[in-house]
């Protein structure tokens, strides 16, 4: 039976990224965020949403330098990720607490978290007020990864990356499980035989 | 060693949802989308991004009725989900092909996919052009779920839901793996003893 649930912001799966910025004194700060998603292919852009009361130092920092880095959290830094979502950069030096160090970006005025293996360097190109949140669109101007998470062809191996999945209702963290299928391929079974072209199903595979 | 990667729209993890709408003749249509994320807490809003060339029937449909439903895909409907990302609603009746049926929403002018166990009924409240894509912000006005995916307290059990995770570089589908930690709790170890209040770490748990 289908039931209506209590209204709230829900999605499955949700990421857990750390948005890193510079404070006005140049010190690095980071904030855990689950509300984000890709929003353009060309140029590649990502959306992040931050509570707009300006109690979030990260939002102030992004507005000052028009830059931020989205660092994907991995399971081996789950406790650090959680802490960066608990305390405020106004009260403590969060980087220092979790022993994160900052790598300067050569492309934007924001720090990369050295300990996290995958990051998107973003230039803030648009701010939109949406209800309680400010939605920031960042153009991704550089992507970097530790070579330890790449496969033999140089692509990110999702299991080597081991990204944190956040569950926002019961407040749990999960990891990625097993592969279940090939995209742009598994669904070809719903085409009629006459519609399937030679090699189709493998078209999008590398 | 950290390496720069080829620039593209990348994020981990990415969802695989089906955005369902009505065509102008009232028939239901659905499109698989990975580019979406929550963008406001109050009111709850979700962002989806769709290629803005208007080759996407879903975008035309949303603009006509200012409504759409975000249906979270589950692993048991992975092949259907994949198909709805391969063919166009202009060429085939995709609902018919995958044997999906439409439930009318009592709240918005868009159909719920009966076979998928979790859905967000949305009123389109904002359209923004971002590079190659139109970003649509939907206010979530109703949430429904099959009772088979709820736990004993009535909350969604993520393993019962079993949502599809999409990987957009190598084009694979994954499922959720095991739980790794408690959010708003695991990170309390980085607080000093004097900063931890009684019961903290359980504050956000239900």
């Amino acid at each position: 039976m289908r039931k209506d649930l209590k209204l709230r912001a829900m999605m499955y799966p949700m990421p857990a990224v750390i948005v890193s910025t510079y404070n006005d004194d140049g010190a690095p700060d980071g904030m855990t965020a689950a509300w984000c998603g890709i929003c353009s292919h060309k140029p590649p852009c990502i959306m992040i949403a931050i509570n707009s009361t300006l109690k979030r130092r990260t939002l102030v920092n992004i507005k000052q330098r028009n830059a931020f880095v989205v660092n994907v959290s991995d399971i081996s830094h789950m406790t650090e990720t959680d802490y960066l979502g608990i305390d405020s950069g106004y009260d403590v030096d969060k980087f220092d607490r979790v022993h994160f160090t900052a790598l300067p970006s050569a492309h934007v005025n924001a720090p990369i978290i050295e300990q996290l293996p995958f990051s998107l360097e973003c230039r803030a190109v648009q701010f939109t007020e949406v209800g309680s949140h400010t939605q920031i669109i960042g153009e991704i101007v550089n992507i970097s990864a530790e070579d330890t998470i790449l496969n033999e062809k140089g692509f990110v191996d999702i299991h080597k990356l081991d990204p944190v999945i956040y569950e926002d209702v019961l407040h749990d963290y999960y990891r990625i499980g097993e592969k279940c299928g090939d995209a742009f391929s598994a669904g070809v079974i719903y085409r009629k035989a006459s519609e399937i072209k030679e090699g189709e199903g493998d078209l999008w595979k590398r």
Side-chain angles (χ1 to χ4, degrees), chain A residues 20-154:
Chain A
S20 52
T21 55
Y22 287 122
N23 296 333
D24 45 16
D25 64 0
D29 190 24
M31 184 196 105
T32 309
W35 295 358
C36 71
I38 292 293
C39 62
S40 166
H41 178 57
K42 287 196 178 190
C45 294
I46 191 165
M47 174 283 294
I48 60 168
I50 300 179
N51 182 295
S52 55
T53 55
L54 295 193
K55 283 182 188 162
R56 298 286 181 273
R57 191 164 194 173
T58 297
L59 181 56
V60 175
N61 289 351
I62 293 174
K63 288 188 168 176
Q64 278 179 355
R65 301 190 190 233
N66 279 309
F68 60 95
V69 174
V70 173
N71 307 270
V72 170
S73 298
D74 60 356
I75 294 289
S76 68
H77 295 94
M78 189 198 67
T79 57
E80 290 89 338
T81 302
D82 192 52
Y83 179 71
L84 266 58
I86 292 178
D87 275 339
S88 167
Y90 283 125
D91 302 324
V92 293
D93 179 341
K94 294 200 274 183
F95 262 57
D96 180 61
R97 284 288 176 96
V98 300
H99 310 296
F100 275 170
T101 47
L103 283 178
S105 160
H107 305 271
V108 299
N109 197 353
I112 296 160
I113 299 176
E114 193 168 8
Q115 287 72 19
L116 296 183
F118 180 83
S119 57
L120 308 171
E121 293 153 65
C122 301
R123 190 163 50 86
V125 292
Q126 206 177 100
F127 295 84
T128 310
E129 299 303 313
V130 184
S132 55
H133 279 57
T134 301
Q135 189 197 249
I136 303 141
I137 293 171
E139 182 181 337
I140 301 168
V141 296
N142 193 54
I143 303 176
S144 74
E146 289 295 329
D147 54 10
T148 50
I149 66 162
L150 304 180
N151 69 14
E152 70 288 352
K153 291 184 179 172

Side-chain angles (χ1 to χ4, degrees), chain A residues 2-22:
Chain A
R2 207 162 186 106
K3 294 178 66 171
D4 288 344
L5 304 188
K6 190 176 166 212
L7 213 56
R8 60 177 292 165
M10 290 170 82
M11 237 318 274
Y12 300 94
M14 264 191 196
V17 301
I18 300 178
V19 179
S20 52
T21 55
Y22 287 122

Side-chain angles (χ1 to χ4, degrees), chain A residues 179-188 201-202 204-206:
Chain A
K179 178 178 163 177
C180 295
D182 292 322
F184 301 103
S185 175
V188 171
D202 297 321
W204 297 76
K205 301 298 294 176
R206 282 193 219 134

